[in-house]
Every structure is written in structure tokens, then in C-alpha cells.
Amino acid sequence: MAKDKDKAPEEKPDQQEQVFLREVDEAVREDQLKTIVTRYGIWIFAAIVLALGALAGWIFWQNSQNEDAGLRSEEYVAAIDSIRQNNLDGAATALEPLTEAEQSGYRAAAQILRASIALEKDDPKTAIAGYAKVAADDSLPKPFRDLALIRQTTAEFDTLKPQQVIDRLKPLAVPGNPWFGSAGEMVAISYLNLNKSDLAGPLFAQLAKDESVPATIRSRALQMAGVEGIDAVEPGGDDNEVAPPTVVATEGESKE
């Protein structure tokens, strides 16, 4: 008991000191917090407001993008419906706002379609200019630019020099390219116009054998390859493949 009584007076000061130190520490922290709020409170508040504003702006932008894309889609569908109803003027009017759309796909499609409408209305000058604009616009997706170049060259093929056609379309006139059929046929014809049958014949044969090429182009290419003395019919080919040109017997000739 005596020992416990002797220790008690020594423990009380230690406990009181710990409580005092804790209170001081809490007071110091509170004072530091007040100092931070006083000095930087406005900036912290401003940062929070800016962060929330940026988040709200991003959410609004996302929603507006989706809504804008939906609106562009409705405008494009309206234009297609007008074309189906043979209302070309109405279609051109519906496409006009789309030609300046932020979405590059809609912008390119609208410009190409407006050029095609001009061509249908017997205005090749406007059509060619429209196609050329798309073909030269690097901000548009390449498939649209290639399509525009094909349409432009087709529209002015008769007025171009053969070498101009070759220079334009040769990069597209290769097997595996989506536009191999159209580009390859125009390049091959241009080779013929330059009396380069050694280049035209093999290209026609490639077109005739490529199953990805439209059947109408393959049929014409098969006939042209035959004219150039190249057999483009593969041995053992399917009977449903493009058939070679039929030779009709004239009077006095045997059909055997």
C-alpha cells in the first residue's frame, strides 16, 4: 500500500502534462487551419469552383455532342428521303447545314451528296468543284476523300489527259484497295489511250480475276483483257464466275 501511495503523486503530474500538451497541440492545429483558411481560403474556394465548372462543362459538352450528332443524323435522313422522292432541291437544302457540321463524316457525306445532286441536275462544273473540295480536304476521313476523287475523275474523265487520270488514280488502282475496280478500270483505259497495251492488258486481267471488284467491271475487264490477247479466265473456275464474251457465229461459219 505504501508503495502505491508513493507512486500516485508522481503519476498525477505526468497525466496533467499529457493533457496539457494535447490541448496545446489541438490549439496549434486549429490556429494553423485558421491561418490557411485566412490566407488561402479564397483560392481554395476558387479552385473548387473551377473544378466543378470544368466537370459540369465536360458533361454538358458530352451531352451536346450526342445531341448534335443526333440532330445531324436526322438532317441527313431527311435529305435521303427527299432524294428518294426525287426532290433534289429539297435534298440540297436539307444538306446545306451538314456541309459545315463539326462531325467530319457528316460533313464529307453531305458535300459528296450535294455534288452528286448537282451532277444529276446536269451541272457538272458545280459537281466537279464539290468533289474536288472533298478530295483535297485533309481534315476529312480518307475513305470519303478517295470516293470524292473517284467521282471527280469519273465526271471529268473525257476532258482529262490520260496521264492525268493515271497520276491521280494509280495509288488506288491496286488489288486490295476498296476502289480498285473503279480506279483500275479508268487507269487501264488511260493506258490504252496512251497506246500502252502492255500495261493495260495485265491490269484488265487483274480486275477480271479479283472477286472483290463489282461484277459489271469484272465483265468489262474480262472482255478488254481478251481483246488485248490475255486469257483472264482461271482454270477450274466456278461456273458462276464472270463468263468470257460469247462469240456468235456469223452466216457460213460453223458453231463447232
XYZ file of all heavy atoms in Angstrom, residues 94-186:
707
model
N -31.652 20.547 -97.458
C -31.502 19.826 -96.194
C -30.040 19.520 -95.887
O -29.637 19.460 -94.722
C -32.307 18.526 -96.247
N -29.233 19.364 -96.920
C -27.817 19.018 -96.731
C -26.939 20.230 -96.431
O -25.828 20.078 -95.930
C -27.283 18.315 -97.985
C -27.768 16.891 -98.231
C -27.400 16.448 -99.631
C -27.169 15.935 -97.199
N -27.446 21.412 -96.743
C -26.616 22.622 -96.613
C -26.016 22.809 -95.227
O -24.801 23.040 -95.102
C -27.424 23.844 -97.015
C -26.579 25.108 -97.120
C -27.331 26.266 -97.747
O -28.486 26.064 -98.180
O -26.758 27.357 -97.806
N -26.791 22.714 -94.121
C -26.168 22.883 -92.805
C -25.170 21.780 -92.469
O -24.228 21.996 -91.706
C -27.362 22.857 -91.834
C -28.460 22.172 -92.579
C -28.253 22.532 -94.010
N -25.352 20.611 -93.063
C -24.444 19.495 -92.788
C -23.071 19.695 -93.418
O -22.092 19.102 -92.972
C -25.049 18.189 -93.315
C -26.137 17.545 -92.461
C -26.780 16.390 -93.215
C -25.579 17.056 -91.138
N -23.001 20.519 -94.459
C -21.711 20.727 -95.119
C -20.723 21.464 -94.228
O -19.521 21.486 -94.519
C -21.899 21.529 -96.423
O -22.500 22.797 -96.123
C -22.771 20.765 -97.399
N -21.218 22.073 -93.139
C -20.349 22.760 -92.186
C -20.405 22.097 -90.808
O -20.012 22.701 -89.812
C -20.762 24.232 -92.061
C -20.732 25.013 -93.366
C -19.327 25.101 -93.948
O -18.350 25.049 -93.161
O -19.205 25.190 -95.182
N -20.881 20.859 -90.745
C -21.015 20.155 -89.466
C -19.647 19.898 -88.839
O -18.637 19.748 -89.538
C -21.746 18.828 -89.670
N -19.608 19.857 -87.511
C -18.357 19.571 -86.808
C -17.915 18.129 -87.038
O -16.726 17.838 -87.083
C -18.524 19.833 -85.306
C -18.712 21.302 -84.947
C -18.777 21.507 -83.451
O -18.582 20.524 -82.711
O -19.015 22.646 -83.022
N -18.879 17.231 -87.174
C -18.552 15.825 -87.407
C -18.055 15.659 -88.848
O -18.790 15.904 -89.802
C -19.779 14.935 -87.169
C -20.282 14.947 -85.745
C -21.246 16.089 -85.474
O -21.435 16.965 -86.322
N -21.846 16.094 -84.300
N -16.812 15.230 -88.985
C -16.197 15.163 -90.315
C -16.911 14.187 -91.240
O -16.984 14.408 -92.453
C -14.721 14.771 -90.182
O -14.585 13.507 -89.534
N -17.448 13.101 -90.682
C -18.135 12.126 -91.512
C -19.381 12.702 -92.159
O -19.598 12.546 -93.367
N -20.211 13.381 -91.347
C -21.415 14.010 -91.888
C -21.038 15.111 -92.879
O -21.699 15.292 -93.914
C -22.272 14.592 -90.768
C -23.102 13.558 -90.043
C -22.921 13.321 -88.684
C -24.078 12.833 -90.713
C -23.689 12.366 -88.015
C -24.847 11.889 -90.054
C -24.649 11.656 -88.702
O -25.400 10.720 -88.054
N -19.992 15.865 -92.553
C -19.590 16.971 -93.426
C -19.173 16.448 -94.805
O -19.588 16.981 -95.833
C -18.441 17.744 -92.775
C -18.096 19.036 -93.504
C -17.222 19.932 -92.659
N -15.872 19.433 -92.482
C -15.387 18.953 -91.341
N -16.154 18.892 -90.273
N -14.144 18.521 -91.253
N -18.362 15.389 -94.802
C -17.895 14.824 -96.064
C -19.040 14.208 -96.860
O -19.167 14.429 -98.071
C -16.821 13.769 -95.792
N -19.884 13.443 -96.175
C -21.003 12.786 -96.858
C -21.945 13.808 -97.472
O -22.431 13.636 -98.607
C -21.753 11.887 -95.879
N -22.210 14.886 -96.742
C -23.118 15.919 -97.240
C -22.536 16.612 -98.466
O -23.251 16.865 -99.455
C -23.404 16.935 -96.144
N -21.249 16.915 -98.438
C -20.626 17.596 -99.570
C -20.612 16.709 -100.810
O -20.865 17.173 -101.931
C -19.205 18.021 -99.197
C -19.162 19.139 -98.161
C -17.749 19.494 -97.749
O -16.776 18.986 -98.310
N -17.620 20.360 -96.762
N -20.326 15.426 -100.622
C -20.321 14.496 -101.759
C -21.729 14.348 -102.331
O -21.920 14.342 -103.551
C -19.767 13.124 -101.325
C -18.260 13.231 -101.046
C -20.017 12.066 -102.398
C -17.642 11.961 -100.497
N -22.704 14.241 -101.443
C -24.080 14.071 -101.904
C -24.580 15.315 -102.643
O -25.280 15.214 -103.653
C -24.984 13.761 -100.710
C -26.346 13.117 -101.020
C -26.181 11.915 -101.937
C -27.034 12.709 -99.735
N -24.210 16.493 -102.166
C -24.609 17.729 -102.851
C -23.957 17.802 -104.241
O -24.587 18.238 -105.220
C -24.216 18.952 -102.024
C -25.230 19.295 -100.937
C -24.734 20.450 -100.078
N -24.579 21.684 -100.829
C -25.539 22.584 -101.016
N -26.744 22.376 -100.518
N -25.296 23.693 -101.696
N -22.710 17.358 -104.333
C -22.040 17.336 -105.631
C -22.733 16.353 -106.575
O -22.910 16.635 -107.770
C -20.573 16.960 -105.460
N -23.152 15.208 -106.041
C -23.848 14.217 -106.859
C -25.198 14.754 -107.333
O -25.623 14.479 -108.471
C -24.050 12.929 -106.055
O -22.803 12.366 -105.680
N -25.868 15.519 -106.480
C -27.141 16.132 -106.870
C -26.913 17.128 -108.009
O -27.683 17.177 -108.977
C -27.796 16.823 -105.662
C -28.296 15.770 -104.660
C -28.950 17.724 -106.095
C -28.790 16.355 -103.354
N -25.842 17.908 -107.906
C -25.520 18.864 -108.979
C -25.261 18.131 -110.288
O -25.690 18.577 -111.360
C -24.300 19.694 -108.580
N -24.581 16.989 -110.209
C -24.308 16.201 -111.414
C -25.611 15.660 -112.009
O -25.803 15.660 -113.230
C -23.355 15.052 -111.084
C -22.666 14.355 -112.256
C -21.798 15.331 -113.034
C -21.836 13.181 -111.750
N -26.500 15.219 -111.123
C -27.802 14.709 -111.566
C -28.630 15.813 -112.218
O -29.416 15.551 -113.138
C -28.546 14.129 -110.365
C -29.854 13.445 -110.701
C -29.662 12.163 -111.493
O -28.551 11.592 -111.464
O -30.633 11.735 -112.163
N -28.424 17.051 -111.788
C -29.162 18.188 -112.340
C -28.427 18.805 -113.541
O -28.699 19.932 -113.937
C -29.371 19.249 -111.253
C -30.284 18.774 -110.127
C -30.366 19.787 -108.998
C -31.032 21.062 -109.443
N -31.180 22.024 -108.317
N -27.486 18.039 -114.087
C -26.753 18.456 -115.283
C -25.951 19.735 -115.043
O -25.931 20.651 -115.868
C -27.711 18.649 -116.462
C -26.982 18.629 -117.809
O -25.875 18.052 -117.852
O -27.493 19.196 -118.785
N -25.288 19.757 -113.885
C -24.400 20.881 -113.565
C -23.026 20.310 -113.202
O -22.615 20.326 -112.035
C -24.985 21.687 -112.390
C -24.176 22.941 -112.084
O -23.192 23.218 -112.809
O -24.507 23.637 -111.098
N -22.314 19.779 -114.203
C -21.043 19.104 -113.919
C -19.977 20.019 -113.319
O -19.142 19.568 -112.523
C -20.603 18.582 -115.290
C -21.325 19.435 -116.278
C -22.627 19.774 -115.638
N -19.995 21.288 -113.676
C -18.996 22.213 -113.143
C -19.094 22.301 -111.620
O -18.084 22.210 -110.907
C -19.176 23.601 -113.763
C -18.114 24.598 -113.350
C -18.299 25.933 -114.076
C -17.225 26.935 -113.663
N -17.397 28.238 -114.354
N -20.322 22.471 -111.110
C -20.525 22.541 -109.660
C -20.199 21.203 -109.010
O -19.597 21.149 -107.930
C -21.981 22.933 -109.344
O -22.246 24.220 -109.900
C -22.224 22.966 -107.839
N -20.592 20.121 -109.674
C -20.341 18.788 -109.129
C -18.843 18.516 -109.003
O -18.361 18.068 -107.950
C -20.993 17.730 -110.018
N -18.108 18.807 -110.057
C -16.666 18.555 -110.052
C -15.976 19.390 -108.979
O -15.088 18.912 -108.270
C -16.072 18.843 -111.443
C -16.556 17.777 -112.435
C -14.548 18.867 -111.393
C -16.264 18.105 -113.887
N -16.402 20.652 -108.846
C -15.821 21.517 -107.808
C -16.109 20.964 -106.410
O -15.248 21.005 -105.517
C -16.373 22.927 -107.940
N -17.323 20.437 -106.222
C -17.674 19.867 -104.926
C -16.852 18.636 -104.605
O -16.345 18.487 -103.481
N -16.701 17.750 -105.577
C -15.878 16.550 -105.372
C -14.421 16.934 -105.086
O -13.777 16.367 -104.203
C -15.927 15.649 -106.602
C -17.259 14.988 -106.859
C -17.803 14.943 -108.147
C -17.969 14.390 -105.823
C -19.017 14.324 -108.387
C -19.193 13.768 -106.066
C -19.710 13.739 -107.347
O -20.912 13.126 -107.597
N -13.915 17.883 -105.843
C -12.516 18.300 -105.686
C -12.269 18.877 -104.292
O -11.202 18.661 -103.693
C -12.150 19.319 -106.758
N -13.249 19.614 -103.775
C -13.116 20.199 -102.434
C -12.969 19.123 -101.371
O -12.115 19.219 -100.481
C -14.325 21.080 -102.134
C -14.257 21.759 -100.769
C -15.493 22.621 -100.529
C -15.435 23.265 -99.138
N -16.643 24.095 -98.874
N -13.779 18.081 -101.482
C -13.697 16.980 -100.517
C -12.375 16.237 -100.671
O -11.703 15.920 -99.689
C -14.876 16.005 -100.704
C -14.726 14.790 -99.783
C -16.192 16.705 -100.418
N -11.994 15.954 -101.905
C -10.773 15.187 -102.159
C -9.533 15.894 -101.622
O -8.549 15.232 -101.218
C -10.616 14.936 -103.659
N -9.554 17.222 -101.588
C -8.379 17.989 -101.152
C -8.402 18.346 -99.670
O -7.441 18.918 -99.165
C -8.276 19.274 -101.973
N -9.476 17.997 -98.973
C -9.629 18.374 -97.561
C -9.044 17.298 -96.646
O -9.664 16.262 -96.401
C -11.114 18.586 -97.236
C -11.323 19.223 -95.865
O -10.371 19.238 -95.060
O -12.445 19.696 -95.594
N -7.846 17.544 -96.136
C -7.159 16.558 -95.291
C -7.832 16.350 -93.938
O -7.494 15.406 -93.218
C -5.702 16.982 -95.056
C -4.875 16.893 -96.329
O -5.260 16.113 -97.221
O -3.852 17.606 -96.436
N -8.766 17.225 -93.577
C -9.450 17.062 -92.295
C -10.546 16.006 -92.364
O -11.095 15.603 -91.338
C -10.059 18.396 -91.838
O -11.152 18.764 -92.660
N -10.866 15.552 -93.573
C -11.927 14.563 -93.757
C -11.340 13.152 -93.795
O -10.175 12.965 -94.189
C -12.682 14.840 -95.055
C -13.371 16.204 -95.141
C -14.039 16.379 -96.508
C -14.388 16.372 -94.023
N -12.105 12.152 -93.406
C -11.613 10.768 -93.429
C -11.190 10.354 -94.839
O -11.817 10.720 -95.831
C -12.821 9.956 -92.953
C -13.643 10.919 -92.158
C -13.466 12.247 -92.834
N -10.139 9.569 -94.934
C -9.579 9.188 -96.231
C -10.564 8.436 -97.131
O -10.582 8.675 -98.346
C -8.312 8.347 -96.039
C -7.520 8.141 -97.332
C -6.221 7.425 -97.070
C -5.368 7.357 -98.332
N -6.033 6.673 -99.451
N -11.377 7.528 -96.607
C -12.326 6.845 -97.499
C -13.238 7.814 -98.252
O -13.529 7.607 -99.434
C -13.128 5.956 -96.543
C -12.192 5.682 -95.421
C -11.416 6.945 -95.253
N -13.669 8.887 -97.581
C -14.512 9.886 -98.240
C -13.706 10.646 -99.296
O -14.211 10.952 -100.380
C -15.084 10.869 -97.226
C -16.177 10.299 -96.366
C -15.926 9.931 -95.058
C -17.457 10.120 -96.869
C -16.919 9.398 -94.262
C -18.470 9.592 -96.084
C -18.203 9.227 -94.774
N -12.456 10.978 -98.972
C -11.625 11.710 -99.928
C -11.344 10.867 -101.167
O -11.351 11.377 -102.296
C -10.320 12.144 -99.257
C -10.519 13.259 -98.238
C -9.217 13.796 -97.711
N -8.626 12.933 -96.700
C -7.431 12.392 -96.758
N -6.666 12.603 -97.817
N -6.980 11.634 -95.786
N -11.101 9.569 -100.964
C -10.864 8.682 -102.102
C -12.111 8.558 -102.968
O -12.030 8.566 -104.202
C -10.436 7.298 -101.609
C -9.034 7.303 -101.003
O -8.301 8.293 -101.223
O -8.679 6.331 -100.312
N -13.271 8.427 -102.318
C -14.524 8.345 -103.071
C -14.743 9.618 -103.882
O -15.125 9.557 -105.065
C -15.698 8.131 -102.113
C -17.100 8.221 -102.729
C -17.272 7.180 -103.841
C -18.173 8.055 -101.663
N -14.495 10.768 -103.274
C -14.667 12.036 -103.978
C -13.726 12.127 -105.181
O -14.105 12.631 -106.247
C -14.422 13.201 -103.029
N -12.501 11.627 -105.019
C -11.537 11.661 -106.121
C -12.001 10.768 -107.270
O -11.871 11.141 -108.447
C -10.163 11.204 -105.628
C -9.016 11.293 -106.632
C -8.785 12.731 -107.055
C -7.731 10.705 -106.049
N -12.560 9.610 -106.933
C -13.092 8.715 -107.958
C -14.238 9.387 -108.712
O -14.293 9.400 -109.949
C -13.579 7.397 -107.327
C -12.396 6.572 -106.788
C -14.389 6.574 -108.334
C -11.521 5.974 -107.848
N -15.162 9.979 -107.948
C -16.326 10.622 -108.574
C -15.900 11.831 -109.408
O -16.446 12.077 -110.479
C -17.329 11.057 -107.494
C -17.902 9.929 -106.652
C -18.635 8.897 -107.502
N -19.766 9.453 -108.202
C -21.012 9.513 -107.726
N -21.265 9.044 -106.518
N -21.982 10.022 -108.446
N -14.944 12.590 -108.898
C -14.451 13.752 -109.636
C -13.835 13.326 -110.967
O -14.135 13.897 -112.026
C -13.406 14.498 -108.809
C -12.755 15.669 -109.546
C -11.513 16.192 -108.840
O -11.202 15.776 -107.721
N -10.809 17.099 -109.487
N -12.986 12.303 -110.918
C -12.304 11.836 -112.131
C -13.290 11.240 -113.125
O -13.156 11.428 -114.341
C -11.220 10.805 -111.766
O -10.364 11.358 -110.764
C -10.378 10.441 -112.977
N -14.288 10.523 -112.616
C -15.317 9.961 -113.493
C -16.079 11.068 -114.210
O -16.361 10.976 -115.412
C -16.304 9.099 -112.676
O -15.588 8.049 -112.025
C -17.367 8.491 -113.576
N -16.402 12.128 -113.462
C -17.198 13.221 -114.032
C -16.438 13.997 -115.107
O -17.046 14.519 -116.050
C -17.638 14.177 -112.916
N -15.120 14.081 -114.979
C -14.352 14.864 -115.957
C -13.392 14.001 -116.769
O -12.447 14.504 -117.376
C -13.587 15.988 -115.237
C -12.648 15.528 -114.145
C -11.964 16.696 -113.431
O -12.096 17.843 -113.893
O -11.300 16.435 -112.412
N -13.665 12.698 -116.810
C -12.756 11.760 -117.484
C -12.512 12.146 -118.937
O -11.378 12.110 -119.427
C -13.327 10.338 -117.412
C -12.427 9.287 -117.975
C -11.387 8.753 -117.226
C -12.603 8.831 -119.286
C -10.547 7.780 -117.747
C -11.761 7.859 -119.810
C -10.731 7.327 -119.044
N -13.566 12.516 -119.642
C -13.447 12.814 -121.076
C -12.644 14.082 -121.353
O -12.184 14.283 -122.487
C -14.829 12.950 -121.711
C -15.582 11.625 -121.728
O -14.917 10.573 -121.669
O -16.829 11.651 -121.761
N -12.479 14.928 -120.354
C -11.761 16.189 -120.570
C -10.326 16.135 -120.035
O -9.568 17.084 -120.234
C -12.496 17.354 -119.884
O -12.524 17.132 -118.467
C -13.914 17.472 -120.411
N -9.979 15.048 -119.372
C -8.636 14.916 -118.808
C -7.709 14.203 -119.776
O -8.137 13.364 -120.581
C -8.680 14.124 -117.500
C -9.385 14.753 -116.302
C -9.458 13.748 -115.150
C -8.677 16.024 -115.849
N -6.446 14.527 -119.699
C -5.453 13.785 -120.460
C -5.244 12.429 -119.790
O -5.330 12.321 -118.559
C -4.136 14.558 -120.512
C -4.227 15.861 -121.297
C -2.889 16.575 -121.329
C -2.993 17.868 -122.147
N -1.713 18.611 -122.184
N -4.971 11.392 -120.564
C -4.800 10.058 -119.973
C -3.773 10.017 -118.839
O -3.996 9.351 -117.821
C -4.346 9.205 -121.156
C -4.928 9.887 -122.350
C -4.871 11.350 -122.028
N -2.689 10.750 -119.001
C -1.661 10.723 -117.964
C -2.152 11.368 -116.670
O -1.740 10.970 -115.569
C -0.397 11.434 -118.453
C 0.818 11.213 -117.559
C 1.192 9.748 -117.432
O 1.308 9.035 -118.424
N 1.367 9.283 -116.200
N -3.039 12.357 -116.780
C -3.604 12.973 -115.587
C -4.430 11.957 -114.792
O -4.358 11.911 -113.562
C -4.491 14.164 -115.977
C -3.744 15.393 -116.439
C -4.697 16.514 -116.822
O -5.421 16.438 -117.821
N -4.719 17.567 -116.022
N -5.203 11.163 -115.514
C -6.007 10.127 -114.860
C -5.100 9.115 -114.163
O -5.346 8.728 -113.009
C -6.904 9.412 -115.900
C -7.676 8.267 -115.235
C -7.864 10.394 -116.528
N -4.061 8.706 -114.853
C -3.127 7.725 -114.287
C -2.457 8.282 -113.035
O -2.373 7.599 -111.998
C -2.072 7.321 -115.338
C -2.748 6.581 -116.490
C -0.987 6.457 -114.702
C -1.853 6.375 -117.699
N -1.982 9.511 -113.112
C -1.302 10.111 -111.970
C -2.236 10.237 -110.763
O -1.828 10.066 -109.620
C -0.750 11.495 -112.346
C 0.380 11.412 -113.360
O 0.967 10.320 -113.494
O 0.659 12.432 -114.023
N -3.495 10.541 -111.023
C -4.472 10.709 -109.949
C -4.824 9.391 -109.271
O -4.876 9.283 -108.051
C -5.753 11.305 -110.523
C -5.973 12.759 -110.212
C -7.392 13.123 -110.611
N -7.453 14.471 -111.124
C -8.545 15.042 -111.573
N -9.667 14.349 -111.623
N -8.533 16.286 -111.997
N -5.117 8.407 -110.107
C -5.757 7.197 -109.593
C -4.834 5.992 -109.417
O -5.248 4.985 -108.841
C -6.912 6.797 -110.523
C -8.033 7.824 -110.687
C -9.121 7.261 -111.590
C -8.603 8.238 -109.339
N -3.614 6.080 -109.896
C -2.722 4.927 -109.807
C -2.547 4.419 -108.371
O -2.499 3.205 -108.138
C -1.360 5.260 -110.425
C -0.494 4.027 -110.657
C 0.778 4.392 -111.413
C 1.625 3.143 -111.660
N 2.875 3.481 -112.391
N -2.458 5.311 -107.357
C -2.335 4.803 -105.976
C -3.541 3.980 -105.521
O -3.419 3.146 -104.616
C -2.211 6.091 -105.141
C -1.667 7.114 -106.078
C -2.307 6.785 -107.400
N -4.711 4.222 -106.147
C -5.917 3.479 -105.773
C -6.125 2.254 -106.656
O -6.919 1.371 -106.298
C -7.153 4.381 -105.884
C -7.132 5.699 -105.104
C -8.435 6.461 -105.330
C -6.917 5.444 -103.619
N -5.429 2.207 -107.795
C -5.628 1.138 -108.770
C -4.735 -0.056 -108.472
O -3.982 -0.537 -109.331
C -5.377 1.667 -110.178
N -4.822 -0.548 -107.251
C -4.022 -1.701 -106.839
C -4.931 -2.708 -106.140
O -5.852 -2.327 -105.418
C -2.877 -1.276 -105.886
C -1.856 -0.431 -106.614
C -3.418 -0.516 -104.682
N -4.697 -4.012 -106.346
C -5.518 -5.029 -105.688
C -5.508 -4.850 -104.165
O -4.477 -4.550 -103.567
C -4.840 -6.344 -106.090
C -4.154 -6.021 -107.388
C -3.678 -4.608 -107.237
N -6.670 -5.007 -103.577
C -6.790 -4.833 -102.125
C -7.321 -3.478 -101.738
O -7.859 -3.311 -100.639
N -7.193 -2.488 -102.634
C -7.749 -1.176 -102.344
C -9.258 -1.209 -102.568
O -9.722 -1.802 -103.542
C -7.112 -0.121 -103.248
C -7.506 1.292 -102.864
O -8.597 1.744 -103.177
N -6.611 1.993 -102.191
N -10.047 -0.590 -101.695
C -11.500 -0.616 -101.860
C -11.979 -0.068 -103.195
O -13.048 -0.442 -103.674
C -12.004 0.257 -100.704
C -10.912 0.226 -99.689
C -9.645 0.110 -100.468
N -11.195 0.829 -103.801
C -11.593 1.449 -105.057
C -10.826 0.882 -106.245
O -10.756 1.506 -107.297
C -11.381 2.963 -104.983
C -12.029 3.579 -103.786
C -11.420 4.122 -102.700
C -13.433 3.682 -103.534
N -12.340 4.558 -101.788
C -13.597 4.301 -102.271
C -14.576 3.323 -104.246
C -14.843 4.562 -101.717
C -15.820 3.581 -103.694
C -15.940 4.196 -102.442
N -10.289 -0.329 -106.080
C -9.507 -0.939 -107.154
C -10.313 -1.071 -108.439
O -9.810 -0.820 -109.529
C -8.992 -2.314 -106.710
C -8.259 -3.071 -107.781
C -7.278 -2.466 -108.553
C -8.560 -4.412 -108.033
C -6.598 -3.164 -109.541
C -7.888 -5.117 -109.011
C -6.913 -4.495 -109.772
N -11.584 -1.456 -108.324
C -12.397 -1.655 -109.515
C -12.547 -0.392 -110.339
O -12.180 -0.358 -111.531
N -13.065 0.661 -109.736
C -13.315 1.909 -110.464
C -12.012 2.565 -110.908
O -11.869 2.990 -112.065
C -14.119 2.875 -109.585
O -15.374 2.316 -109.245
N -11.064 2.670 -109.980
C -9.795 3.324 -110.306
C -9.016 2.506 -111.327
O -8.459 3.053 -112.291
C -8.970 3.521 -109.037
N -8.986 1.189 -111.126
C -8.227 0.324 -112.037
C -8.763 0.377 -113.452
O -7.984 0.401 -114.424
N -10.084 0.406 -113.614
C -10.667 0.447 -114.952
C -10.303 1.750 -115.664
O -9.927 1.730 -116.848
C -12.177 0.300 -114.864
C -12.852 0.208 -116.227
C -14.335 -0.067 -116.126
O -14.983 0.500 -115.205
O -14.850 -0.828 -116.961
N -10.400 2.876 -114.958
C -10.058 4.151 -115.594
C -8.573 4.242 -115.923
O -8.183 4.795 -116.969
C -10.494 5.319 -114.704
C -11.985 5.574 -114.743
S -12.506 7.102 -113.894
C -12.540 6.538 -112.186
